[in-house]
Amino acid sequence: MKYVNEKDINEEIKWAQINTDILQSLQNPRKAYWIAIAVCLAMLSCAVVAEVYQYQTGLGVADLNRPHMWGLYIATFIFWIGMSHSGTLLSAILHIIHADWRKPIYRFAEAMTTFSLMTAGFFPMIHLGRMWNLYWVIPYVSDRGIWPNFRSPLVWDAFAITTYLTSSALFLFIGMIPDLAICRDNVTGWRRKLYTVLSLGWQGTDRQWRHFRKTYMLMACFLIPLAVSVHSIVSSDFAMSIMPGWHVTSFPPYFVAGALYSGCAAIITLFILLRYFFRLEEYMTVALMEKTCKLTFAIAMVWTYLNLVEFGATWYGHDPVAKEVLISKFVGPFAPYFWAMMFFGSVLPFALAFEKLRRHMATMMVVSILLNVGMWLERWMIVGPTLSHAYAPEAWNFMWPSIVQWAIVFGSFGWFGLLFLIFVKVFPCVSMYEVKEMVFHRRREAHAEVAEKFHRRAADVQQATGRPSAEGA
Amino acid sequence: MSLDNILTNWSRYRKGAEEGGFHEYEHQWGMVVDLNKCIGCNACSVACYAENNLPVVGEKRCGKNQAMNWLRIERYWDEPDLAPYEAIPTANVDAWIEGNPPAKKTELKPSMPSSYLPGLLEQDGQSFEQRVGFDGTKSEFQDFGASFLPMMCQQCHAATCEPVCPVAATYHTPDGLNAQVYNRCIGSRYCSNNCPYRLRYFNFWSYYEDAWPEPLHMQLNPDLSVRDKGVMEKCTFCIQRIRVAKDKAKMEDRKVIDGEFSTACVQTCPTGALVFGDMQNPESQVSKLWSYHQVERGKTKQNKENKELRGYRILEGLNTDPSVLYLERVREV
Ligand code: SF4
């Protein structure tokens, strides 16, 4: 109860102060930041070594086998695609519904969207047998007149992901233009040149602002259906197939919910890290953290519900083969991972319901990482059991990923981390102009509140004494 | 699949997606597998290896399920109730004949005592019984009642593997075959995931590097390529033989005669369990067998007048419309 009146942001903060505070994040991070960079580089090099080896030798080194043709690569691909969705949720959906608490924290979430898409894009390439022929999925004009197969969900994937990547990168960039101009005016050296180019001659004139607002709003409106459709299309890779456990109509909403869920969990992790790396406690406040946690909790419950729907539908659908897949998840070789997923995905989020835990950064760090582990397991539980247990009983098999698969999956986190860390050092990770807006609105609200109290008191006095009070005059 | 092609043939293209493949076939190659005759000898599988340049991947990779056996014999153990006559305890024979099978399951015995082949069956200082965990009542291998199911690509007409390939490397030929263009395949492996029969094989390694050590490379079939890593492959009904036969018939200005040629597995089968031919030719053995067993294409459920007929197609209910007809194994019990 004692936190109820705590503010999302300190509304007394001066605008010049905001500029200084955020700009310092481009200058002097903590030592932990450099350690994080080193760790990411090390992880990435694991993946590069593994991938070069696999490229040379063939996919056999991944220990994939006949019924088990898709392994961790595709599971992790869905994971990264999913991760990207919350950036759009925070920046576009909350922008449209005027939830202004998003303002200090949406920039990094959007960067997360772009970079996790860039990470995700690697996985379909890595998992291809002949990845040097990847471009055949693109409908380019050639004298042979051979086009990709538009009936294949994999082709839809390629289109959806490139569209989403382009639009979210554009959205990130457009939303940053006023901030880039601030940076341009405050730095020297190569950074100045960079920002001059990127800020596209932003002067902050009335006309520029009007155009900017319109463009930004349009982009937001464009991105929302796109985000929903992208993960629905990724779910089509499975739902369009004939395999038991994949051929499920509820897959698109289930995937979208899972995507938002893992994205929100990732936002919490990055929130805590950034707050620590760049000393941004003033902007990334505990109150905002709480709101993000509540959002995550709500989405977690939606995800749990859709999961139960899926199990129920399979169970009562009485398709023996689909049921077999479900049973193999419950008690078969996949049971430990399945129950770990259920625990991390559906039980653990109840930790977010407790105010004490929500406000404790270290706890939330651990919880959010575990939530993501659960979501990653979910993706694996989608890909794995169906491949192991399908129609042909003689082909039932299990696959334990080899070290090569693990190294590439592990390294992808390094690659994502590296991109993200470089981004937050080069670009302002908190939107300065929107925070100013927020402070402005909040201050006006606060003033209005004071004024209202004042008027109410004046009215009371008038009623009591029968004449206008001296104060109210 | 150029844009031009899609626009001009849109309705056919759409229909193809729903009903599988083209509809004006030149031939419709089909097969019949009589399980009554199949003795599980694996000769067909070996013939397939030789004909189609299939790499022998070695024990380790085979153990990992990375083998390339386009035609494999699946073994199923029958229920003990389907035991041969001798295995039924004599006391119960009358009850059995009257339709009351014995309440107690027949006791299982190893049919071949290890004394027959002492040297072969004894390994690592363990007897055969010890190795298979035989304790006198239970054996990993039943001594009777194995059924064999030769599984090769079913050449489905509504093939589930076809629509999901991102680069259209697998497509339906005017011969009613499900063809795989090795050069076009980029190795997304979606087709394999979507084949309910699990009959698509992926080159996880450059198998050719060690599959034919000299002088075995001399045995390679020159009519056919050797596939490299990253390519999906599968049974083609020996398309190279089909081509030769069709070309020859064309040169002689006649139709392909039934029995003029057949696939490697059919040619090799010692019991004649496999029959191959053109189902569009009403005189061919294959189409006679299909019509005799009252199995029709394009159906998910056959409406047979005579329930005794043995023909069936595997997983017919999925509407993949396979081209391979199996004749049930009938047992006297
Ligand atoms: S059996 Fe499998 S590989 Fe062969 S055509 Fe049917 S779906 Fe395709």
Side-chain angles (χ1 to χ4, degrees):
Chain A
M1 273 293 112
K2 68 178 191 284
Y3 300 120
V4 161
N5 289 322
E6 199 185 338
K7 290 162 181 164
D8 284 347
I9 198 157
N10 171 18
E11 74 223 9
E12 297 308 329
I13 197 164
K14 295 282 175 297
W15 287 15
Q17 185 62 37
I18 296 175
N19 282 2
T20 337
D21 283 351
I22 309 294
L23 287 175
Q24 61 91 17
S25 77
L26 308 180
Q27 310 289 346
N28 52 345
R30 281 177 203 265
K31 207 150 101 223
Y33 174 85
W34 298 109
I35 297 175
I37 290 253
V39 171
C40 286
L41 267 175
M43 284 162 81
L44 178 59
S45 36
C46 287
V48 172
V49 171
E51 170 52 21
V52 169
Y53 176 50
Q54 178 181 290
Y55 182 89
Q56 290 295 335
T57 324
L59 270 157
V61 293
D63 268 7
L64 297 163
N65 57 42
R66 181 149 44 70
H68 224 115
M69 294 278 176
W70 289 356
L72 292 190
Y73 295 145
I74 293 299
T76 315
F77 159 71
I78 317 169
F79 173 78
W80 281 113
I81 292 274
M83 183 105 130
S84 66
H85 281 60
S86 275
T88 315
L89 169 80
L90 221 65
S91 55
I93 299 183
L94 296 188
H95 175 66
I96 282 182
I97 62 170
H98 297 294
D100 73 348
W101 61 268
R102 73 182 245 289
K103 284 177 176 165
I105 56 171
Y106 83 93
R107 172 74 45 78
F108 81 81
E110 236 175 88
M112 182 184 93
T113 296
T114 310
F115 297 135
S116 59
L117 277 170
M118 284 166 75
T119 319
F122 276 119
F123 279 94
M125 301 185 204
I126 290 171
H127 111 117
L128 282 190
R130 301 202 295 166
M131 67 135 96
W132 48 95
N133 288 333
L134 171 80
Y135 65 98
W136 288 354
V137 176
I138 303 163
Y140 63 99
V141 183
S142 83
D143 55 345
R144 294 178 298 167
I146 303 176
W147 277 37
N149 179 6
F150 293 108
R151 289 188 290 170
S152 169
L154 294 187
V155 173
W156 312 343
D157 258 6
F159 292 150
I161 293 164
T162 38
T163 315
Y164 193 35
L165 178 60
T166 325
S167 338
S168 60
L170 261 181
F171 191 55
L172 172 66
F173 169 63
I174 290 173
M176 222 163 36
I177 291 176
D179 277 359
L180 289 172
I182 299 176
C183 297
R184 175 196 61 196
D185 299 340
N186 284 285
V187 295
T188 52
W190 65 269
R191 277 172 182 266
R192 189 177 176 98
K193 276 190 204 131
L194 176 75
Y195 297 137
T196 311
V197 175
L198 289 182
S199 58
L200 305 177
W202 180 266
Q203 297 296 332
T205 62
D206 196 33
R207 191 163 160 241
Q208 278 179 338
W209 273 111
R210 251 184 299 133
H211 286 250
F212 171 77
R213 289 268 176 241
K214 252 185 227 156
T215 319
Y216 195 66
M217 192 50 133
L218 259 175
M219 280 297 286
C221 295
F222 176 66
L223 261 178
I224 293 165
L226 190 63
V228 174
S229 71
V230 165
H231 220 55
S232 304
I233 286 175
V234 170
S235 83
S236 307
D237 289 356
F238 303 98
M240 290 284 161
S241 78
I242 200 174
M243 302 323 282
W246 284 0
H247 193 71
V248 178
T249 13
S250 68
F251 257 29
Y254 173 55
F255 267 54
V256 172
L260 294 178
Y261 185 9
S262 68
C264 281
I267 285 175
I268 297 176
T269 318
L270 294 177
F271 181 103
I272 298 168
L273 283 179
L274 283 184
R275 183 183 144 100
Y276 174 71
F277 283 153
F278 297 122
R279 307 180 179 87
L280 289 170
E281 285 84 356
E282 186 94 56
Y283 302 92
M284 302 194 173
T285 59
V286 178
L288 289 183
M289 171 78 170
E290 273 214 87
K291 289 197 166 144
T292 323
C293 286
K294 284 179 190 163
L295 188 68
T296 314
F297 181 68
I299 296 170
M301 291 302 108
V302 172
W303 178 82
T304 308
Y305 169 74
L306 285 167
N307 241 331
L308 297 180
V309 164
E310 200 203 311
F311 300 152
T314 311
W315 195 259
Y316 289 104
H318 281 312
D319 175 1
V321 194
K323 235 172 163 175
E324 190 59 53
V325 174
L326 196 61
I327 292 170
S328 87
K329 288 186 195 172
F330 287 160
V331 292
F334 291 99
Y337 316 105
F338 176 80
W339 292 110
M341 156 199 134
M342 286 315 278
F343 177 76
F344 291 143
S346 296
V347 181
L348 193 65
F350 281 95
L352 300 169
F354 296 101
E355 202 164 328
K356 272 255 165 52
L357 293 180
R358 262 194 329 240
R359 306 181 67 85
H360 193 265
M361 291 296 158
T363 318
M364 282 325 293
M365 182 81 188
V366 176
V367 168
S368 64
I369 289 176
L370 288 182
L371 291 183
N372 256 323
V373 169
M375 292 317 290
W376 182 81
L377 281 171
E378 181 224 337
R379 272 55 188 243
W380 193 28
M381 284 306 100
I382 290 170
V383 176
T386 293
L387 291 178
S388 290
H389 293 257
Y391 291 104
E394 75 278 350
W396 283 12
N397 199 4
F398 187 67
M399 183 225 27
W400 186 250
S402 74
I403 182 113
V404 174
Q405 282 200 53
W406 286 115
I408 289 177
V409 168
F410 182 68
S412 72
F413 288 85
W415 161 253
F416 169 80
L418 200 64
L419 286 179
F420 187 79
L421 287 173
I422 292 174
F423 175 85
V424 292
K425 182 84 170 61
V426 175
F427 298 101
C429 60
V430 174
S431 165
M432 291 182 257
Y433 74 98
E434 290 210 83
V435 170
K436 286 175 199 163
E437 236 172 54
M438 183 175 172
V439 167
F440 177 72
H441 285 300
R442 292 293 158 100
R443 202 180 296 160
R444 212 166 54 176
E445 269 167 32
H447 287 182
E449 210 176 294
V450 172
E452 203 200 306
K453 259 190 210 151
F454 178 79
H455 285 304
R456 213 180 299 130
R457 205 178 117 65
D460 287 348
V461 170
Q462 189 181 16
Q463 215 175 16
T465 58
R467 60 192 157 81
S469 75
E471 291 164 272
Chain B
M1 194 170 302
S2 66
L3 184 62
D4 210 30
N5 199 354
I6 293 172
L7 291 180
T8 45
N9 294 318
W10 179 246
S11 63
R12 214 172 88 163
Y13 180 76
R14 284 287 305 137
K15 233 171 132 63
E18 280 155 16
E19 295 164 18
F22 301 101
H23 289 267
E24 305 105 43
Y25 293 107
E26 288 171 28
H27 299 279
Q28 274 191 43
W29 305 109
M31 205 177 263
V32 178
V33 182
D34 190 342
L35 298 182
N36 252 357
K37 291 186 188 162
C38 177
I39 52 171
C41 68
N42 267 305
C44 50
S45 188
V46 174
C48 183
Y49 266 87
E51 169 73 20
N52 290 304
N53 295 343
L54 299 187
V56 178
V57 302
E59 190 184 345
K60 215 171 117 231
R61 291 168 183 171
C62 193
K64 274 192 198 167
N65 232 4
Q66 293 174 342
M68 309 297 290
N69 43 352
W70 284 2
L71 169 51
R72 50 176 210 249
I73 306 270
E74 307 297 357
R75 183 206 60 200
Y76 290 92
W77 292 125
D78 288 347
E79 292 290 316
D81 284 0
L82 292 180
Y85 195 75
E86 302 81 18
I88 301 166
T90 18
N92 287 332
V93 165
D94 292 341
W96 182 274
I97 290 169
E98 279 159 24
N100 304 314
K104 197 169 138 275
K105 287 255 163 85
T106 24
E107 203 180 292
L108 300 182
K109 279 188 248 119
S111 56
M112 198 203 310
S114 53
S115 54
Y116 281 7
L117 295 160
L120 260 183
L121 293 172
E122 236 163 78
Q123 266 177 27
D124 309 327
Q126 280 189 318
S127 71
F128 176 76
E129 283 91 342
Q130 280 167 335
R131 278 199 299 118
V132 301
F134 174 68
D135 59 358
T137 52
K138 188 171 135 278
S139 161
E140 190 186 323
F141 308 111
Q142 270 171 231
D143 57 335
F144 46 76
S147 290
F148 304 103
L149 187 69
M151 286 293 279
M152 70 298 278
C153 172
Q154 308 284 303
Q155 308 290 353
C156 315
H157 274 211
T160 46
C161 54
E162 280 171 25
V164 295
C165 175
V167 291
T170 173
Y171 74 108
H172 223 67
T173 68
D175 274 7
L177 292 180
N178 168 265
Q180 172 78 7
V181 187
Y182 301 130
N183 292 338
R184 178 71 177 164
C185 174
I186 59 169
S188 78
R189 308 194 287 293
Y190 197 172
C191 52
S192 173
N193 284 348
N194 210 23
C195 169
Y197 311 94
R198 299 298 194 214
L199 290 166
R200 289 182 151 258
Y201 301 84
F202 186 67
N203 284 276
F204 286 106
W205 313 79
S206 291
Y207 293 112
Y208 66 84
E209 282 170 359
D210 39 26
W212 298 281
E214 278 184 48
L216 287 185
H217 66 289
M218 301 292 282
Q219 71 156 26
L220 287 174
N221 182 354
D223 295 343
L224 201 67
S225 62
V226 170
R227 282 77 55 187
D228 196 359
K229 71 180 182 199
V231 174
M232 188 57 83
E233 56 181 56
K234 62 177 252 301
C235 161
T236 59
F237 271 4
C238 292
I239 199 162
Q240 64 279 11
R241 293 182 175 214
I242 297 178
R243 279 242 70 92
V244 171
K246 271 171 72 176
D247 286 352
K248 193 159 168 251
K250 196 173 173 194
M251 279 201 321
E252 292 168 11
D253 203 18
R254 59 171 170 87
K255 282 198 160 175
V256 180
I257 307 164
D258 186 45
E260 180 185 353
F261 76 103
S262 65
T263 61
C265 50
V266 173
Q267 189 184 5
T268 315
C269 182
T271 59
L274 305 168
V275 182
F276 173 81
D278 184 2
M279 289 169 51
Q280 270 191 348
N281 175 3
E283 294 308 309
S284 73
Q285 213 188 337
V286 164
S287 52
K288 279 184 188 155
L289 278 167
W290 277 69
S291 55
Y292 175 77
H293 286 277
Q294 297 184 351
V295 176
E296 279 175 62
R297 308 212 51 156
K299 286 199 170 168
T300 51
K301 207 163 183 247
Q302 301 295 343
N303 212 354
K304 291 185 185 176
E305 281 158 35
N306 183 355
K307 301 285 180 220
E308 302 286 287
L309 293 174
R310 301 185 287 136
Y312 74 97
R313 291 184 295 169
I314 294 178
L315 296 177
E316 200 168 39
L318 294 178
N319 196 21
T320 50
D321 199 3
S323 304
V324 181
L325 175 71
Y326 286 85
L327 304 184
E328 242 173 284
R329 175 162 191 180
V330 179
R331 281 249 157 95
E332 289 175 40
V333 286

